[in-house]
Amino acid sequence: QAYSDYHDMMRHCESIFERCALAVHGSTQFEFEGTTIDVKAPWPRLTMLEAIEQFAGISFMTLSDEEVQALLVAKGWHLDGSFSRGRAMQLIFEESCESQLVQPTFITDYPKESSPLCKQHRQNPELIERFEAYVMGWEVANAYSELNDPIRQRQLMEEQVERGRGGEAETHPLDEDFLRAMEYGMPPMGGIGIGMDRMVMLLTGQNNIRDVILFPTLRPEQFGE
């Protein structure tokens, strides 16, 4: 959506879930595996650092790099590729917080290493304006204030390519077509991806995603047997 940001996308996301729940159940509250979920807007908003402190009892910003690395070793949490403080922060969140996010919650302000497509946070250059929405410990949406500076975008994509050469698994190749399109002109905008399959699972009480995918992947037929 042009001329919007990740705050607009949060309002967009919670509104969609609220209206879908009302359409299916006549209420923003419904049961999922014995837990009452309430998707009524507005949903709580926690920064990733706040979530780590609240759910894991870890004051991340007070830890040195050496203490962060020692914590990962002590917990048995493996960081692929070379160490970076931001990637360690995201790993700690994923391992210690995600499963505790039962009621709808937005986790905001991710480390800059987590995505090359997102705008730098307007107050903290080490963070980006990204959020993920969680329900029942599942990630149900991912959104950004979209980066629209082609020079900065190229720099970030090149850095990610280098990190991939260093052994980091979740990296992507440099996309020249995307960069060229951005150079022609891209307005400020917010973008969101919502996990519609997981939304349907929640609203219909299904605990297996294969039961709600319209065209599930099937095994190839074996001929000649």
Side-chain angles (χ1 to χ4, degrees), residues 51-96:
I52 290 172
E53 184 144 16
Q54 178 174 322
F55 294 106
I58 298 169
S59 183
F60 185 83
M61 294 305 292
T62 67
L63 301 179
S64 66
D65 287 358
E66 291 73 21
E67 288 170 327
V68 172
Q69 289 174 295
L71 174 64
L72 297 184
V73 172
K75 295 287 190 179
W77 297 335
H78 175 67
L79 195 65
D80 63 292
S82 57
F83 174 83
S84 83
R85 190 174 179 86
R87 291 177 58 238
M89 170 180 149
Q90 185 169 2
L91 179 62
I92 291 169
F93 165 77
E94 291 169 351
E95 295 288 350
S96 60

Side-chain angles (χ1 to χ4, degrees), residues 65-213:
D65 287 358
E66 291 73 21
E67 288 170 327
V68 172
Q69 289 174 295
L71 174 64
L72 297 184
V73 172
K75 295 287 190 179
W77 297 335
H78 175 67
L79 195 65
D80 63 292
S82 57
F83 174 83
S84 83
R85 190 174 179 86
R87 291 177 58 238
M89 170 180 149
Q90 185 169 2
L91 179 62
I92 291 169
F93 165 77
E94 291 169 351
E95 295 288 350
S96 60
C97 303
E98 282 187 349
S99 63
Q100 301 185 66
L101 298 170
V102 176
Q103 295 299 322
T105 306
F106 292 121
I107 300 299
T108 71
D109 302 349
Y110 277 55
K112 64 183 181 182
E113 294 91 338
S114 68
S115 173
L117 302 173
C118 183
K119 268 192 174 176
Q120 178 179 290
H121 193 278
R122 59 198 80 181
Q123 270 92 43
N124 186 340
E126 294 303 307
L127 304 177
I128 54 176
E129 294 194 349
R130 174 186 180 187
F131 75 79
E132 290 181 319
Y134 287 87
V135 184
M136 287 298 295
W138 301 341
E139 176 203 330
V140 296
N142 178 31
Y144 315 139
S145 296
E146 302 283 346
L147 180 59
N148 62 335
D149 178 344
I151 297 173
R152 178 64 177 153
Q153 183 65 85
R154 178 176 293 278
Q155 178 188 354
L156 291 173
M157 283 185 167
E158 288 173 348
E159 287 176 2
Q160 190 171 81
V161 169
E162 285 303 311
R163 297 209 314 266
R165 291 184 182 133
E168 187 179 329
E170 294 189 15
T171 59
H172 301 279
L174 191 144
D175 189 335
E176 289 288 355
D177 291 336
F178 180 70
L179 289 169
R180 183 166 58 252
M182 187 179 288
E183 286 168 357
Y184 291 151
M186 175 177 170
M189 63 176 66
I192 187 168
I194 296 176
M196 303 306 295
D197 299 324
R198 287 180 176 173
M199 177 195 282
V200 173
M201 288 173 68
L202 287 165
L203 293 176
T204 60
Q206 300 295 325
N207 60 13
N208 191 327
I209 198 167
R210 287 177 294 184
D211 292 333
V212 304
I213 295 176

